[in-house]
Amino acid sequence: MIDLRLLREDPDRVRASQRARGEDVALVDSLLSADERRRSSGVRFDELRAEQKALGKLIPKASGDEKAELLKKASQLAADVKAADAERDAAAADTQELLQRLGNLVHPDVPVGGEEDFVTLETHGTIRDFAAEGFEPKDHLELGQILGAIDVERGAKVSGSRFYFLTGVGALLELALVNAAMAQATAAGFTPMLTPALVRPQSMAGTGFLGQAAQDVYHLANDDLYLVGTSEVPLAAYHMDEILDAEKLPLRYAGFSPCFRREAGSHGKDTRGIFRVHQFDKVEMFSYVTPEDSQAEHQRLLEWEKQWLTSLELPYRVIDVASADLGASASRKFDCEAWIPTQGKYRELTSTSDCTEFQSRRLSIRVRDGKQVRPLATLNGTLCAAPRTIVAILENHQQADGSVRVPEVLRPYLGGREVLEPVAK
């Protein structure tokens, strides 16, 4: 959530952020009104309580009619205090509810607009000319079947649409990716983490995934637990309700977990293969830093993602995501999109978001810097989402006979294998 003081001091900035997101601008005025009621009712309660305490000291000293009058007044004051307390609590609840609905403040450098209004920041690698090489590229599903690596038919039989099996070299390729990604993250100073896939409501809400993203979340009603769509959620909640020492920052974690997404609203999109699925594994980077260091850390996370994609020898571009496509928690977001030959376009493989103080305020995570205790900043960055990375590797490194060249960075994790060979039929 944002700082209420900032809202009161500069409401126009918050209105502009809401407008850029394509969200309800009237929410700002509703929140300002609720906050004013919260503060005024708090003052009223404090005044009545002070009067009640003062009266309580007079009653034992009084007698006769004076005492009777004071007792009558005390009874009325008790009722007034109770009513003021209820009004204060109601106003505070209204303020909190409205505050939870407000997205993070959009960074001033973010391009304004919807999904297609991103700005391309840089492009890396060379897109292969398959026509010049003399063959038509196969898509990842056909390659996966040739290699005995992907089985979507049995995935659908067992679990339904958008589920799959990785088999043989497909399973080994994912394990190689996870191990290589974790090795890079560990070398960069991240603490490896295996995180829970089920979290409590306060963890999911605290990271901002029960607002506009709620339709994509799986909820286990009988247990009141949520399946995570990213290990960002348990990594953000890891230090919930804690005060961290400034000397220990930055704290950097690399989480590995299964991820679950309903993919609501994606009917008809990416239905072939394993690009958009309900369950997948992912290595996620997560950082806790001081607010002053969040923009620099954002660039560091991006550089680690670029290092990863470059090591996989993939052509990709970096985009500055537009304001209406940010997600509630992000102030700014960069996506790295790899070229997918059979689609003829770049598709998102990794993403990194600067969430500033938004999540730490919701999760009550603070930093102690000398005598000062204040919210810190959180950032996240995908290092490797396994299925999409497999898609990009198979399609970009395929050879005319249906085999796939293994990027050098993965070979140590595949027993030195340089090529994935078609399986005998």
Side-chain angles (χ1 to χ4, degrees):
M1 66 184 73
I2 69 167
D3 187 349
L4 272 173
R5 287 177 301 177
L6 189 151
L7 174 74
R8 291 192 291 267
E9 293 168 3
D10 195 357
D12 285 342
R13 181 182 170 192
V14 184
R15 291 188 186 99
S17 178
Q18 283 290 95
R19 196 173 296 113
R21 287 181 172 277
E23 298 290 338
D24 183 14
V25 178
L27 177 61
V28 177
D29 293 311
S30 298
L31 180 53
L32 282 168
S33 176
D35 181 49
E36 175 56 35
R37 290 201 320 275
R38 178 187 67 86
R39 290 187 295 150
S40 61
S41 61
V43 170
R44 172 67 174 158
F45 174 79
D46 291 342
E47 290 174 345
L48 288 170
R49 279 289 290 147
E51 188 177 349
Q52 188 181 41
K53 288 178 181 178
L55 188 63
K57 293 177 181 178
L58 296 176
I59 291 174
K61 301 175 184 178
S63 59
D65 291 344
E66 181 187 9
K67 186 167 187 175
E69 184 62 31
L70 288 174
L71 286 170
K72 181 180 178 182
K73 188 174 182 180
S75 177
Q76 181 59 51
L77 261 177
D80 291 344
V81 166
K82 185 177 180 180
D85 191 24
E87 170 59 23
R88 182 185 62 172
D89 289 347
D94 287 346
T95 301
Q96 191 67 16
E97 190 272 329
L98 291 168
L99 192 56
Q100 293 279 347
R101 287 165 50 191
L102 201 64
N104 199 357
L105 289 179
V106 175
H107 189 280
D109 292 341
V110 169
V112 175
E115 184 177 355
E116 300 303 320
D117 296 310
F118 61 85
V119 171
T120 300
L121 300 177
E122 48 190 295
T123 304
H124 297 268
T126 302
I127 294 172
R128 284 176 65 184
D129 185 346
F130 285 95
E133 294 181 34
F135 73 98
E136 184 75 20
K138 300 175 178 64
D139 76 4
H140 74 278
L141 183 56
E142 185 177 357
L143 288 164
Q145 292 167 340
I146 291 171
L147 297 169
I150 301 171
D151 191 335
V152 294
E153 291 183 0
R154 289 186 176 89
K157 177 179 71 174
V158 171
S159 302
S161 63
R162 298 190 190 276
F163 287 94
Y164 60 97
F165 285 87
L166 292 180
T167 57
V169 294
L172 294 176
L173 181 55
E174 168 166 327
L175 293 172
L177 284 165
V178 170
N179 278 291
M182 275 296 193
Q184 179 189 302
T186 303
F190 286 80
T191 300
M193 305 276 277
L194 298 179
T195 64
L198 289 165
V199 298
R200 292 175 169 174
Q202 57 265 45
S203 299
M204 190 67 81
T207 41
F209 285 96
L210 291 187
Q212 65 189 109
Q215 62 176 353
D216 263 342
V217 174
Y218 286 102
H219 182 223
L220 281 64
N222 288 346
D223 305 284
D224 198 20
L225 292 171
Y226 290 89
L227 283 166
V228 299
T230 167
S231 58
E232 172 192 343
V233 176
L235 291 174
Y238 186 64
H239 289 295
M240 180 168 55
D241 299 322
E242 295 181 23
I243 298 175
L244 307 177
D245 290 329
E247 310 89 69
K248 294 183 179 180
L249 299 182
L251 286 174
R252 298 187 178 111
Y253 301 116
F256 172 74
S257 76
C259 305
F260 304 87
R261 299 184 183 181
R262 292 172 55 84
E263 292 294 346
S266 66
H267 179 73
K269 294 180 181 178
D270 301 309
T271 55
R272 180 173 169 81
I274 63 170
F275 191 85
R276 189 183 299 273
V277 291
H278 290 309
Q279 178 183 340
F280 60 96
D281 296 323
K282 180 157 68 83
V283 176
E284 181 82 1
M285 300 179 290
F286 197 89
S287 299
Y288 295 86
V289 301
T290 61
E292 297 79 24
D293 195 34
S294 72
Q295 291 186 50
E297 183 73 2
H298 200 197
Q299 290 295 328
R300 294 184 199 108
L301 289 171
L302 177 59
E303 288 302 317
W304 282 313
E305 291 181 347
K306 289 162 56 180
Q307 176 187 338
W308 171 245
L309 295 179
T310 299
S311 75
L312 295 177
E313 304 167 44
L314 296 173
Y316 68 95
R317 71 180 180 186
V318 179
I319 67 168
D320 200 348
V321 176
S323 56
D325 198 31
L326 284 176
S329 299
S331 174
R332 193 176 193 183
K333 180 165 71 168
F334 302 126
D335 284 356
C336 293
E337 301 181 327
W339 179 257
I340 307 299
T342 61
Q343 295 186 22
K345 57 184 175 182
Y346 290 98
R347 301 299 305 273
E348 178 196 337
L349 244 61
T350 73
S351 181
T352 177
S353 297
D354 182 359
C355 297
T356 60
E357 302 169 22
F358 187 82
Q359 293 176 332
S360 68
R361 288 182 180 277
R362 296 163 75 100
L363 292 166
S364 188
I365 308 169
R366 293 171 292 167
V367 58
R368 179 181 286 108
D369 192 355
K371 294 183 178 180
Q372 186 182 24
V373 175
R374 57 189 177 126
L376 43 66
T378 60
L379 302 95
N380 62 81
T382 306
L383 191 54
C384 179
R388 290 191 176 196
T389 309
I390 289 172
V391 169
I393 287 173
L394 295 185
E395 294 209 11
N396 282 285
H397 296 317
Q398 65 179 291
Q399 302 180 112
D401 63 355
S403 63
V404 174
R405 186 179 63 81
V406 177
E408 284 191 28
V409 71
L410 298 180
R411 293 175 188 175
Y413 305 97
L414 284 166
R417 192 176 324 205
E418 297 182 4
V419 177
L420 306 181
E421 300 284 359
V423 295
K425 293 184 179 180

